[in-house]
Amino acid sequence: MSRQPNLLLIILDSARARNMSLYDYEKNTTPFLNEFTERATVYTQARSPSIHSIASHISMFTGQHVEQHRATNHTVQIDPDSTVWAELQSKYDYDTGLFTNNRVISSASNLNDCFEYSHSPTYHIVKQPNSPRCENGYDPISADENGIVNHIVSCINHNHPIRSLTNYGEIAARSAARTAEQILRNAESDYMTTHGESFSSAFLSWSAKQLEPWAACLNLMDTHYPFEPEPTHNRWATEEDWNAQAEEQPSTRELLRGNNWGHLKNLEPLYDGSIHQADQIVENLISELENRGQLDDTLVIITSDHGEAFGERSQVDPSVRLKGHSWGIHEVQTHVPLVIKFPEQHQGRVVDEVVSLTDLPLLFQSAVQGTIDDTVLVSDGPVLASTFRLLEEDAAKYGEIDGIERFTGPWRTMYESCDDGVKKTAVKGDCHFTGIIPDTQKVHSVSREANSRVLDEFARISDSDIVTEESTEIEEDVEDHLEDLGYIR
């Protein structure tokens, strides 16, 4: 390979390893990934840094533990220069792009500021000149008709004057204006269920135009609630399951009171279909990169930011049941898929040691420096995961519920590779759990006696200063969207 590799991080939002046939799930939910591992590396015991999007993404982008950056609100603002994306831009001359309909990433927080280009359903905007290396400089309008669309939508969203389009042809300008109008009209109606194929297509279009190595993050929400697999992928859900999702969902308050937990199990067959759908989107994307001859020049990482719970009981405190990714530190929430296709890799490999997504920046850096192999993520020390959800200020809203403190964070856990698989040690308040994870589907309880090692490991973590604002006001429509996605208000 004559130049630095392209870097592609594909995040299947909320996809847990437990429900993937890649990890021995009984339903064939990931036929492509099953086959892809014949020429890629599958990590059987990867763990997310946390159980919700903002904390996990910031850890994956910065290499910092959750309890270093302490980003717990979905409106948090960070220093973009502290991310691996900024380093790739400034130090290694990469073009960077973000493609997602996850508005925690694109709208509520400022994580899209880490990228030169971002694409979301609400707006498409080039955040700064993509690259001075482009022939005749860079002009988002002159690039093509899509550039005109980007300009119109960006101006309207940001209350900027629309530059004259007369130099670009009347027909092209009219067509772009109609496209922009449709984007704006549909932005608020389809933000939750926009098929991930539209974002992978946007990525493929963007990457085809880059003249230098590129680095991109593609976050797909197909596997995030609400689960709405298209008919081709709806292989396991019954009419009862669809009706359960269509009905008014049990409120957080109702669940905390112990009611309607059975409702969540009806959503799991829909979730399985959504994973099958995401698997095909990844297949189509990989096939296109291969057709272009770019796959061997690209580091491809396929993973998730966290998993999803459907009423499972906490291993640390069995009196607590788990909803989605709202609280807890269960394996269904932290055990995530991780498949990596290294540049010029043609033989499948398996890594059974426990690894953390917090170390992804190290993987990027080693790829750029030409020292990469599949052991980069394997650490001598323990793998840490934690969450402060349920936040104390959120729990205060439910103060009338007996035992609400059982749901508040921090929830902390530590993973270590051992002869029997992976050892998990977790703590929540006065509750403790030690277990052995022998494979991708089981967890055996060993002890509930207090173990100080977890807190000792977390005590070694020093605070960072990458968070510039703990929380900011966001538009009501964004907050409503986050509530529709199951986030606690």
Side-chain angles (χ1 to χ4, degrees):
M1 189 165 53
S2 60
R3 67 174 195 171
Q4 294 169 328
N6 301 316
L7 308 172
L8 175 59
L9 174 60
I10 303 174
I11 298 174
L12 308 179
D13 205 290
S14 303
R16 70 190 201 182
R18 182 74 61 87
N19 285 54
M20 292 187 166
S21 51
L22 173 66
Y23 294 102
D24 301 319
Y25 187 49
E26 60 187 11
K27 300 174 184 176
N28 189 21
T29 53
T30 55
F32 170 70
L33 289 179
N34 295 352
E35 176 274 328
F36 191 53
T37 56
E38 295 178 3
R39 49 185 171 146
T41 300
V42 57
Y43 293 77
T44 63
Q45 295 292 344
R47 292 303 185 276
S48 60
S50 190
I51 69 161
H52 56 106
S53 290
I54 191 66
S56 284
H57 276 79
I58 291 177
S59 289
M60 287 190 282
F61 288 4
T62 65
Q64 296 187 3
H65 295 293
V66 172
E67 298 199 30
Q68 281 182 276
H69 58 68
R70 295 292 181 116
T72 56
N73 291 304
H74 54 238
T75 58
V76 71
Q77 308 291 295
I78 70 167
D79 175 13
D81 290 338
S82 299
T83 67
V84 69
W85 308 105
E87 180 183 13
L88 291 169
Q89 293 165 34
S90 62
K91 187 174 180 179
Y92 299 105
D93 219 23
Y94 273 76
D95 293 326
T96 60
L98 172 68
F99 305 82
T100 184
N101 55 332
N102 184 340
R103 293 184 77 182
V104 169
I105 308 306
S106 67
S107 303
S109 71
N110 72 329
L111 293 194
N112 65 343
D113 289 340
C114 304
F115 301 83
E116 292 173 306
Y117 179 91
S118 66
H119 178 104
S120 77
T122 304
Y123 59 86
H124 311 267
I125 176 173
V126 176
K127 300 197 67 60
Q128 52 184 286
N130 194 38
S131 170
R133 299 180 298 278
C134 293
E135 185 177 356
N136 300 323
Y138 184 83
D139 184 334
I141 290 180
S142 62
D144 54 19
E145 186 175 306
N146 187 57
I148 307 176
V149 173
N150 291 345
H151 174 66
I152 296 172
V153 175
S154 172
C155 288
I156 293 175
N157 272 289
H158 295 80
N159 197 28
H160 293 159
I162 298 177
R163 195 187 311 174
S164 172
L165 305 177
T166 56
N167 293 335
Y168 304 100
E170 183 178 356
I171 294 177
R174 285 180 179 175
S175 175
R178 286 195 298 271
T179 302
E181 180 184 2
Q182 185 161 352
I183 289 173
L184 292 164
R185 185 170 60 249
N186 292 342
E188 298 308 322
S189 63
D190 66 358
Y191 53 70
M192 288 187 293
T193 57
T194 302
H195 195 290
E197 196 80 55
S198 65
F199 295 95
S200 63
S201 295
F203 155 73
L204 289 168
S205 176
W206 171 83
S207 61
K209 300 172 187 175
Q210 306 312 309
L211 303 181
E212 297 291 335
W214 47 259
C217 177
L218 176 62
N219 176 295
L220 301 177
M221 294 288 278
D222 298 71
T223 48
H224 192 290
Y225 175 86
F227 312 116
E228 297 190 352
E230 294 188 341
T232 302
H233 307 286
N234 180 35
R235 303 192 170 195
W236 301 283
T238 65
E239 184 176 354
E240 179 183 359
D241 299 326
W242 281 98
N243 289 339
Q245 181 162 259
E247 294 170 1
E248 184 175 354
Q249 301 301 301
S251 67
T252 298
R253 180 168 274 101
E254 191 175 0
L255 292 172
L256 291 173
R257 285 178 173 146
N259 302 323
N260 280 338
W261 280 100
H263 175 95
L264 296 182
K265 291 302 294 180
N266 283 104
L267 303 184
E268 193 169 357
L270 294 167
Y271 179 69
D272 291 338
S274 298
I275 292 175
H276 192 276
Q277 178 168 301
D279 182 76
Q280 184 178 69
I281 294 170
V282 173
E283 178 180 12
N284 294 342
L285 188 155
I286 295 296
S287 296
E288 179 58 26
L289 288 179
E290 192 165 24
N291 290 338
R292 293 179 183 178
Q294 285 189 310
L295 187 58
D296 272 351
D297 299 331
T298 303
L299 172 69
V300 179
I301 304 168
I302 304 163
T303 188
S304 175
D305 54 344
H306 55 73
E308 194 80 355
F310 294 96
E312 291 89 350
R313 291 195 177 275
S314 165
Q315 298 154 329
V316 187
D317 183 354
S319 71
V320 172
R321 298 189 70 170
L322 307 172
K323 165 188 179 266
H325 42 283
S326 296
W327 55 79
I329 203 74
H330 197 286
E331 291 312 287
V332 297
Q333 298 167 314
T334 61
H335 187 192
V336 292
L338 180 59
V339 177
I340 299 178
K341 170 71 166 63
F342 293 87
E344 300 180 349
Q345 178 180 0
H346 302 287
Q347 294 293 323
R349 295 190 288 270
V350 177
V351 175
D352 289 322
E353 288 90 350
V354 65
V355 299
S356 174
L357 299 188
T358 303
D359 292 329
L360 287 184
L362 294 177
L363 191 69
F364 283 162
Q365 291 159 357
S366 65
V368 171
Q369 295 164 3
T371 59
I372 194 169
D373 63 44
D374 49 25
T375 65
V376 169
L377 295 178
V378 179
S379 172
D380 293 334
V383 164
L384 304 180
S386 63
T387 180
F388 287 84
R389 298 292 179 92
L390 195 62
L391 297 172
E392 288 187 3
E393 54 263 37
D394 291 329
K397 303 173 186 176
Y398 311 106
E400 81 283 1
I401 296 174
D402 291 338
I404 188 62
E405 65 279 356
R406 293 177 299 143
F407 297 88
T408 58
W411 302 73
R412 297 180 171 114
T413 189
M414 175 181 76
Y415 299 95
E416 299 169 284
S417 297
C418 64
D419 292 340
D420 297 323
V422 173
K423 181 180 179 181
K424 174 180 182 177
T425 313
V427 60
K428 159 66 173 74
D430 295 330
C431 297
H432 297 260
F433 174 82
T434 300
I436 296 295
I437 303 168
D439 55 37
T440 56
Q441 293 288 323
K442 301 184 186 71
V443 180
H444 300 317
S445 177
V446 173
S447 171
R448 295 196 177 278
E449 294 183 2
N451 188 325
S452 63
R453 278 205 59 213
V454 177
L455 296 183
D456 289 344
E457 288 294 335
F458 278 91
R460 295 190 179 97
I461 296 175
S462 58
D463 292 341
S464 74
D465 58 359
I466 67 167
V467 171
T468 58
E469 291 183 72
E470 293 286 346
S471 181
T472 58
E473 293 295 325
I474 57 176
E475 296 179 3
E476 185 176 353
D477 74 288
V478 176
E479 194 68 74
D480 289 341
H481 171 205
L482 298 180
E483 184 177 30
D484 291 339
L485 293 174
Y487 291 96
I488 296 172
R489 295 184 69 175

